[in-house]
Amino acid sequence: QEKVRILLDWFVNPDHAALVIAKQRGLFDKQGLDVELIAPADPNAPPKLVAAGQADYALSYQPTLQMLAAEGLPLVRVGVLVAQPLNSLVALEDSAVKTIADFKGRKIGFSVSGFEEAVLGAMLESAGLTLKDVTLVNVNFALTTALMSKQVDGVIGAFRNFELNDLELNKAKGRIWLVEKHGVPAYDELVILAKRETVDPARTKKLLAALAEATAWLTANPAEAWASFSKYGKDLDNDLNRMAWKDTVPLLSADPAALDRARYSTFAEFLVKRGLIKQAPPLDSYLREIR
Amino acid sequence: MSSPALSVRSAHIVLDGHVVAENLSLEFPGGRTTCLLGRSGVGKTSLLRHLAGLLPGTAPAGPVAYMAQRDLLLPWLSVLDNVRLGHRLRGDAAARHAAGPRARALLAEVGLGHHLDALPQTLSGGMRQRAALARTLCEDRQIVLMDEPFGHLDAVTRFDLQDLAARLLRGRTVVMVTHDPLEALRLGHEIRILSGTPFVPGPVIAPSGAVPRDPADPELLALQARLIGELRTGG
Amino acid sequence: MSSPALSVRSAHIVLDGHVVAENLSLEFPGGRTTCLLGRSGVGKTSLLRHLAGLLPGTAPAGPVAYMAQRDLLLPWLSVLDNVRLGHRLRGDAAARHAAGPRARALLAEVGLGHHLDALPQTLSGGMRQRAALARTLCEDRQIVLMDEPFGHLDAVTRFDLQDLAARLLRGRTVVMVTHDPLEALRLGHEIRILSGTPFVPGPVIAPSGAVPRDPADPELLALQARLIGELRTGG
Amino acid sequence: MRPLVTALGLLAGWELLVWLARLPPYILPPPSRVAVVLMERRALLLEQAAWTGAEMMLGLALGLLLGAALAVLFAASAGWRRWALPLVIVSQAIPVIAVAPLLVLWLGYGMASKVAMAALVIFFPVVSSLYDGLRRTDPGWLELARTMDASPRAVLLQIRLPAALPAFASGARIAAAVAPIGAVIGEWVGASAGLGFLMTQSLARGQTPLAFAALFVLCLLGLALYVATDRLARRLVPWQPIQGD
Amino acid sequence: MRPLVTALGLLAGWELLVWLARLPPYILPPPSRVAVVLMERRALLLEQAAWTGAEMMLGLALGLLLGAALAVLFAASAGWRRWALPLVIVSQAIPVIAVAPLLVLWLGYGMASKVAMAALVIFFPVVSSLYDGLRRTDPGWLELARTMDASPRAVLLQIRLPAALPAFASGARIAAAVAPIGAVIGEWVGASAGLGFLMTQSLARGQTPLAFAALFVLCLLGLALYVATDRLARRLVPWQPIQGD
Ligand SMILES: Nc1ncnc2c1ncn2[C@@H]1O[C@H](COP(=O)(O)OP(=O)(O)OP(=O)(O)O)[C@@H](O)[C@H]1O
Ligand SMILES: Nc1ncnc2c1ncn2[C@@H]1O[C@H](COP(=O)(O)OP(=O)(O)OP(=O)(O)O)[C@@H](O)[C@H]1O
Ligand SMILES: [Mg+2]
Ligand SMILES: [Mg+2]
C-alpha cells in the first residue's frame, strides 16, 4: 500500500464527499493507496505545505491556485472535485436589495479569500456599479450571522450549497446571485494540487480513478452515501450538512481528471484585468492533465 | 481632656500557636508613661500590638499613635509627607495642609529640618528612626505606644529626643518598650519588667521625681542595678 | 595567621551627590577591635560599607564578614540555614554540611537553640538580630565589620553577647559601629569618634586593659563622660 | 458552596442579557439552550475537551519551564538579554497564521505543533514577570551575598530566584488564564481537533449553540487550571502574607 | 548604537536560518526579500501600520485603565471579587471568533469593536499583576495605617496602590508586549484595514514576503510600544532599585 497524504482545504464537509466515500468504501485501497485526509483550520496553509513537500496533495480553489502560481509557488493542478463556482453573492430576501444595483451605498460582508474584491468588482460592474459604491466589511467566517443580524446587506463568498441552507435553518430566506452569471468567468471551485517537481502521474491516476468511482457511486446512491458520510467524522451528522449534501452531490465533478484549459486562460486574464496578478503564468507551469 | 488609662484583663496572646501571655491582667495609668523592659523575645512587642488592637480579636482602647520596631517609612513619600501620613490618610486636603507646619516643626526638632523633601532611602538608619518618631508625635494622640523608639540613635541625640518626647507626651498615656534601663528610668513614671514564657509582668517600679529625670541621680543608678538584676534573674 | 590591618587612604565617600567624607585617611589596627561612634547620620554606616567594598569603586581588603544595620535574614530560609548562608552560597553540599554543627553551636550561644527550624518572620526583633549576629560569627572571617550589632537587645542579653563576640573575635580585625559609649568602651581596643559633615575621625581613644572590660571600672565611666562630651560638641 | 452560587448567578446574568438585549441565538444563545446541547453532545465535547485540555496542560508546563529558564538566563547573562530578549518580545506580536506552515514543517500535523504554539503564547507572562522579579531583589541581600563571596550563580539561584518567586507566581497566574486561548490558537496549526476547532467549525456552519457549549467547556477547563495554578502558586511563597481572602 | 548591532545580528540570524533550513520563501521569506517588499510597498505598509498602531495604542490605553480600575475594585470589594473575578478569568478563554458577532452587534464595524477586542486581550495582565501586587502589601504598613484610623479607601489609594506600582509596571510591560497581537486579533472583528488584515490577505494570495513585511512592521511597532512602556514604567517606581542594566 502506498501512503498518500491529502490536505483538505478546510474542515470536512460535503464538498469532500468523493474523498470520504472513496476512503470509506475501500476504493483507495483497491488502487493500492493508503490515503490519509488531514483537515487544517487555515485554508491558506495546505497549498504551501504541499509545495514544501509536507503532504502529497492539497485541495484548493482555482483562483487561489492561479494567484499562487503567479507568485511562483511550484504547484500543479492534477484534478478537480467541484468543476464550477460555488461562490455567490447573497442578500436577505426580505431586504430592500432586490438587484445587484440595489447594493449602491450599502455594506457587503466578505471572508478573506484573496480574490473577493475581484469577484465582487466584476459583479457590481455588471450592474453598473463599482467597488466604490459599496462598503466592504471583513466578517470572517460569520457570513450568515452578519447577514441575519443585518450588520451587512449582502455577503460575497457565500457557497450556494451551504450559506443558503444555513439561512433557511435560521428561518431566513436568501436571494442569491451566482458569480458566473454576473460578469465573472466560470472556474473550478475545488481542485486537487500537487507539487510540480514531485508529482507522481501513476499514483495520481489511481487517486483520480478512485475518486471517479466514488463520485459515480454516491451520485447513484445519495441516501446511502449520506448515511456513510455522516459517520465519518466528529459532528458531521447535523441538519446543515444533511441539507448541504443534497445540494452538493449534483455539483461534484463526475470526471475528476477533466481539465478545461480555456477556463484557466480566461480566468487568468480576468485576474490580470482585476489587478490581482501582474502577468498570467504559462498554463503548462501549473496545469497537468493526467489520464 | 485627660488621657485614658489602659487596661488588659485576662488576655491571652497567642501567635501562630506560640503562647506569649496567658490570662494576663495589667493596668497602665492614664496620663503617665509606662516603660516596658524584658528579655529579647519575651513578648513586649506582642503586648504593645495587643494594646494597639493589631492582634486578631483585639481593639484599641481609643485612638492610638503606634511606633513600631521597624520605621515603616513609605519609600515613595518625602520625609515630610511620611510625617504627616496620618493626616493624609484620614483627612481632606485642608487637614493635611494644616498638619504641614506641625510636621515641619517636629522634623526640625528631631534634626531633620534640612531633609523635608528627601526620600527615606537617602536617610541613615537613625535618621529614619527620627522621622518615624516625628510621625508618631505628629499624630497628637492621647494614647501613644512606642516600640524601642530610640534604639538607633547615638547617646546624645537619644538624650535630646528623650527630652523632646517627655515634653510633648506630658499628660498622655504612653507605653514605651525599651532595652535601656536608664532610658526607662529617665522617662517612665512606672516601669514594668516582663519575664517568663508565657510572660508575667513584674511589680510596678515607680522612681520618684518628675520626668525626664536626671540620669546622674544616684537613686536612678541604684535602680538601674536593680533592674538589670531583675532582668537577669527573670530572663 | 594574623588578621590584616585595614587602612583607608585619601578616600572620598559620596552618596548620590551627598559628600559623606572627603580625603579621608584612617587606620584600623590588625587583630584588634575598633569601635566607631558618631552622631546619627554622620557616616558610620557609609564608612563600614566603604571598608566592606560595597560602595562603587571600592574593594574589600580581604574576605570580610559584614553585619548590616538591618538583619537581612532571608524569609524563606530557616534560622539555621540563614546562619550558614555563607556556606550555602559558597560551597558545595559538603561545606554546608560541615557548617551545620558550628551554626547550631552559635545559635545555642545566642539563645536561639530552640528556634533552629523557625522561619525568620516568627522571631522577635531582638531574636532576628541575634540570628544575624550568629550568621556573621559563623562566617569565621579575619575581618569583621558590624553595624550596631546589639541595638535591639536588652541589657542582659547584650552584655552576654558582647562577651561572646569578644571571645570569638579575639585576634581578628573588627570594626564595630555602636551608639552605646559603654559598649564601645567594653569592647573596643580603640575607639574613634566621627564628627562633622563631611566627617573627620577624632583621635584614637584606647582604654587600658583587656577586652571585654568591666563596665563598672571607674576609668571607663570617666571615659564614657568624655565620649559623650565629644559626641555632643562634635555633632 | 459559594462558588456554586456565583456560577448560578453568572449563568442567570447571561440568560438575562440574552433576554434583555433580545440577542438572537445565532449571536449569543441563552444558557438554557447551550445546556441542552451540552447534554446531547457530551461525548463529542468530552473528546474534544480531552485534546484541548492536554494542549493546555502541556502548553502551560512547557511555558512555565521555558519562561522560567529564559528569565533566569536573562537575569544571569547580559549576552542572552541582548540577543534573545528582543526576540522574546517580538515573538508576542506574531500571529499564528504567519508561522503555522513553519511549525507544521518542523513539528508535523500532530499535537507537538499545537503545543508549541500554545506555549509561545503562555510562556511570555512567565518570562516577563519572573525577569522583572529577578531584577528587583533587595539590594541589602545582594550586598550581604557579595561579602560572602557568593558566585553570581549562587546569588541568582539562592537569593534572587527565591526572592522573585512571588513575581513568578504572578506570571504563572496570568499564564494559566491565557492557557485556554493559547491552546485554541495552537489548534489553528496542523490538523483539526479540539474545542477551538469545534467552535470555529460550528460557528462557520451556523451551529452557534454547539460553539457556545464548546466555549463553556473551554471556560470550565480554564477556570480549573487557573484555580489549580493559583493554589500551587500560593504554596510556592508560604512566607508571604496575602491579604484579602 | 548597540540596539542597531543587535537588530542587524538578528536579521543575519534570520537569513541564516532560512538558508540553513532551506526554507522556501513562501514559508519563510529571507529578510533580504522582505526588505525589498518593505521598500516597494512602503506607502501601503505605512498606511496599514497607522491603523494598527492606533488600535494598539488605544487598546493599551483602555487596557491599562480598565485593568487598573478592575484590580483596584477587586482589592477594594469582596463583592466585585466574587462576581467579576471569575468573569475576568474566563474572558481570557474566549476566542475572538465566538464574540466577534456580539461585539460587532454592539459596537459596529468601526474602530470601536477592534479596540474593544484588543483591550480584552491587553487588560488581563494588568488586572492580574496589579491585583496580585495589591494583595501583597507589607503588613507593617497596613497596621500603621490602621492605627491612624485610615479608611479602607485611603489605605487602598495611598498605601496599597503605590506599593503595588512595581507589580503594575510588570503587568504593563506584558500588556505592551501583547498589544500588537491584541490589535491583530481585534482586526479579526470586521476589519478591512490594518497590518493583520494585510497579512491575512497577502497570505491568501500567496504573497508571503508582503505578509512578512507587514509582520516586520508590526514587530517594530510592538518593540517601540514595549520600550516606551518600559521607560514609563520605570519612571513610575523611581524609589525601587533595578538591577542588571
Ligand atoms: N542614597 C543616598 N543619597 C543621598 N544621601 C545619602 C544616601 N544614603 C545616605 N545618605 C546620607 O549619608 C549620610 C551618612 O549616612 P550613614 O548611613 O552612613 O549614617 P550613619 O552614621 O550610619 O547614621 P546612623 O547612626 O543614623 O545609622 C546621611 O546624612 C545620609 O543622609
Ligand atoms: N508569627 C509568629 N509565630 C510564632 N511565634 C511568634 C510569631 N511572632 C512572634 N512570635 C514569638 O513570640 C514571642 C514574643 O515576640 P515579641 O516580638 O513580642 O518579643 P519582644 O519582647 O518584642 O522581643 P524583642 O525585644 O526581641 O523585640 C517570641 O518568642 C517570638 O518567637
Ligand atoms: Mg520587640
Ligand atoms: Mg548607620
Side-chain angles (χ1 to χ4, degrees), chain A residues 5 7 10-13 38-42 49 52 54-55 141 145 148-149 162-163 166 170 234-235 238 240, chain D residues 26-27 41 44 47-48 97 101 104-105 109 187-188 190-193 197-198 200-201 203-207 210:
Chain A
R5 264 184 173 179
L7 289 177
W10 211 36
F11 309 123
V12 177
N13 63 62
I38 298 173
D42 175 8
L49 289 169
Q54 281 298 296
F141 298 124
T145 308
M148 286 186 292
S149 59
F162 279 99
E163 268 73 12
D166 196 3
N170 283 292
K234 316 144 192 151
D235 194 44
N238 57 50
L240 179 61
Chain D
Y26 52 83
I27 297 246
R41 314 301 297 273
L44 171 72
E47 189 193 333
Q48 303 306 311
I97 49 161
V104 169
L105 205 63
Y109 297 98
E187 283 170 10
W188 198 259
S192 326
F197 142 76
L198 189 60
T200 320
Q201 192 189 31
L203 282 171
R205 290 296 177 241
Q207 300 168 300
L210 179 57

Side-chain angles (χ1 to χ4, degrees), chain B residues 15-16 18 20 40-46 69 179, chain C residues 122 124-127:
Chain B
L15 299 171
D16 280 349
H18 179 91
V20 177
S40 171
V42 76
K44 303 177 293 298
T45 297
S46 306
Q69 217 162 339
H179 282 312
Chain C
T122 65
S124 76
M127 290 159 88

Side-chain angles (χ1 to χ4, degrees), chain C residues 94-234:
Chain C
R96 190 191 324 173
H97 221 75
R102 185 178 160 74
R104 268 172 233 271
L106 275 166
L107 279 169
E109 296 215 64
V110 301
L112 293 175
H114 298 296
H115 297 269
L116 296 181
D117 297 323
L119 287 181
Q121 60 269 34
T122 65
L123 302 185
S124 76
M127 290 159 88
R128 294 178 65 107
Q129 191 169 42
R130 285 183 271 155
L133 178 67
R135 183 186 61 204
T136 312
L137 295 175
C138 192
E139 280 292 272
D140 199 14
R141 294 287 173 94
Q142 294 305 310
I143 303 175
V144 180
L145 309 171
M146 300 202 283
D147 205 345
E148 306 183 23
F150 309 112
H152 286 293
L153 301 178
D154 62 281
V156 175
T157 310
R158 177 188 287 228
F159 192 88
D160 295 346
L161 293 187
Q162 285 171 353
D163 282 351
L164 176 74
R167 176 156 51 83
L168 293 179
L169 297 177
R170 187 162 296 145
R172 314 204 182 208
T173 309
V174 180
V175 182
M176 181 191 296
V177 171
T178 176
H179 282 313
D180 182 353
L182 215 54
E183 182 168 278
L185 290 168
R186 261 204 100 202
L187 296 179
H189 296 100
E190 296 194 352
I191 298 171
R192 316 269 321 221
I193 295 183
L194 311 183
S195 60
T197 306
F199 75 75
V200 285
V204 174
I205 298 169
S208 62
V211 298
R213 303 192 185 87
D214 178 6
D217 185 342
E219 185 204 336
L220 289 200
L221 292 178
L223 269 175
Q224 184 187 9
R226 182 183 147 197
L227 287 181
I228 293 186
E230 282 190 21
L231 273 172
R232 173 147 299 155
T233 54

Side-chain angles (χ1 to χ4, degrees), chain C residues 49 52-54 63-64 66 70 72-76 85-86 88-90 119 121 135 139 141, chain D residues 138-141 143-151 154-155 158-160 162-163 238-240:
Chain C
R49 284 160 54 78
L54 294 175
V64 301
Y66 176 65
R70 292 192 295 145
L72 296 176
L73 298 177
L74 298 176
W76 56 88
L85 179 66
R88 285 176 70 95
L89 284 177
R90 277 186 299 273
L119 287 181
Q121 60 269 34
R135 183 186 61 204
E139 280 292 272
R141 294 287 173 94
Chain D
D138 183 334
W141 289 338
E143 292 183 357
L144 178 66
R146 206 148 106 220
T147 66
M148 287 174 163
D149 298 333
S151 63
V155 174
Q158 297 196 49
I159 296 190
R160 296 173 68 186
W239 65 89
Q240 237 208 5

Side-chain angles (χ1 to χ4, degrees), chain C residues 31-42:
Chain C
R32 326 208 81 197
T33 298
T34 306
C35 286
L36 294 179
L37 288 171
R39 296 293 291 265
S40 172
V42 76

